Amino acid sequence: HATARSLKKSKTMSIGVVLPNITDATFSQLFTGIERTLSEKQYTASLYITSEIAANENKIFEQIRSQRMDGVIVATCQPQNKKIFDELLKAGIKLVLIERNIEDKDYNFVGFNNYKVIHDTVCQLISDGYKTIAIVTGPKEYSSEKMCIESYSSALKQHGISLNNKLIEITNFNKESAFKAAFRLLQLGEVPEVIITSSMQLAEGIMAVINICEVNLLRKPLVV
């Protein structure tokens, strides 16, 4: 019956949801909300994981096109590859980008206001007396991460604090990369009082290092 309805409507009533992972609380919660909302509208949500690998994402898009899905919701790991998204649209597949936008393209986009969140957080920390504040993010190619770094830099400048590039760590957006970044921060001459990070997955990697090194630290950094 579902197939018959699909043929009659010229719709498959299925949407591909393409995410880097679901180990990060943000992405798992996003998928839960997406799946519930689509289900209420009689759509099926098919989850695909890229593991932040562009080749995986390309194969997933090929599969979505071959299955003639009605749309795709994606947190892309290749925002520079505009061609592949244009091909989806040409194939009649609706497109919504989440978290990671693509510059110079007017695609549908839904994301968090990371600029305001980071700016408000840094300003509050400075008001509370913290002076050495580090930040750990994912790749700058992702609009959400670029926004975090720009906002962090702006907030420091607003309070007359010089930017120290050693306090900015760019990771591959996984726990292992965050683990290494945290080790570098803890080996600085002046250990940061606070480490701000853009995802729970990165925070877990940072906290693991702090717990390992705790006995050798004069001051345990606050992780936000």
Side-chain angles (χ1 to χ4, degrees):
H1 296 299
T3 304
R5 284 198 302 272
S6 171
L7 290 170
K8 187 175 180 181
K9 294 179 179 180
S10 297
K11 286 185 176 183
T12 60
M13 302 303 291
S14 60
I15 304 291
V17 182
V18 185
L19 300 174
N21 62 71
I22 52 170
T23 54
D24 190 299
T26 300
F27 292 124
S28 63
Q29 290 171 19
L30 277 170
F31 179 71
T32 299
I34 289 168
E35 196 278 331
R36 183 177 63 244
T37 304
L38 289 174
S39 179
E40 289 170 358
K41 300 293 183 182
Q42 285 75 54
Y43 278 86
T44 299
S46 298
L47 176 63
Y48 299 91
I49 301 298
T50 66
S51 300
E52 303 282 10
I53 298 171
N56 290 352
E57 190 167 290
N58 292 338
K59 289 177 183 176
I60 290 166
F61 287 154
E62 286 176 16
Q63 190 174 343
I64 287 170
R65 282 201 301 270
S66 68
Q67 293 179 1
R68 298 174 59 228
M69 289 187 175
D70 297 322
V72 59
I73 299 170
V74 56
T76 183
C77 63
Q78 48 179 341
Q80 74 287 349
N81 190 355
K82 300 171 186 178
K83 181 182 176 182
I84 198 162
F85 300 106
D86 286 336
E87 288 174 350
L88 284 170
L89 292 171
K90 285 178 184 176
I93 296 171
K94 306 293 184 183
L95 173 66
V96 177
L97 297 163
I98 55 174
E99 265 296 83
R100 303 167 182 178
N101 203 1
I102 295 177
E103 294 180 0
D104 306 321
K105 281 286 186 178
D106 191 22
Y107 297 136
N108 295 312
F109 173 70
V110 179
F112 298 103
N113 189 346
N114 285 0
Y115 193 96
K116 184 179 188 306
V117 171
I118 295 293
H119 190 276
D120 290 352
T121 300
V122 174
C123 288
Q124 183 62 55
L125 288 167
I126 293 170
S127 296
D128 290 343
Y130 294 101
K131 295 178 181 177
T132 313
I133 303 169
I135 188 166
V136 179
T137 72
K140 282 185 179 179
E141 291 77 18
Y142 301 161
S143 63
S144 57
E145 307 309 293
K146 180 181 178 183
M147 202 181 296
C148 290
I149 296 167
E150 289 176 349
S151 178
Y152 164 83
S153 304
S154 173
L156 292 180
K157 184 178 179 181
Q158 182 180 318
H159 288 82
I161 299 174
S162 299
L163 185 66
N164 182 352
N165 288 323
K166 289 182 179 179
L167 295 176
I168 301 175
E169 285 284 348
I170 311 297
T171 72
N172 295 328
F173 227 138
N174 56 48
K175 195 181 293 185
E176 294 76 15
S177 187
F179 197 86
K180 293 175 183 177
F183 261 120
R184 288 192 292 269
L185 288 172
L186 296 185
Q187 289 171 353
L188 293 174
E190 185 179 3
V191 173
E193 297 170 278
V194 185
I195 302 174
I196 298 174
T197 185
S198 58
S199 84
M200 281 302 299
Q201 187 172 220
L202 298 182
E204 287 169 6
I206 294 165
M207 288 301 300
V209 172
I210 291 173
N211 291 334
I212 290 170
C213 300
E214 187 173 2
V215 292
N216 297 316
L217 293 173
L218 294 175
R219 179 182 59 231
K220 189 174 178 180
L222 174 69
V223 178
V224 180

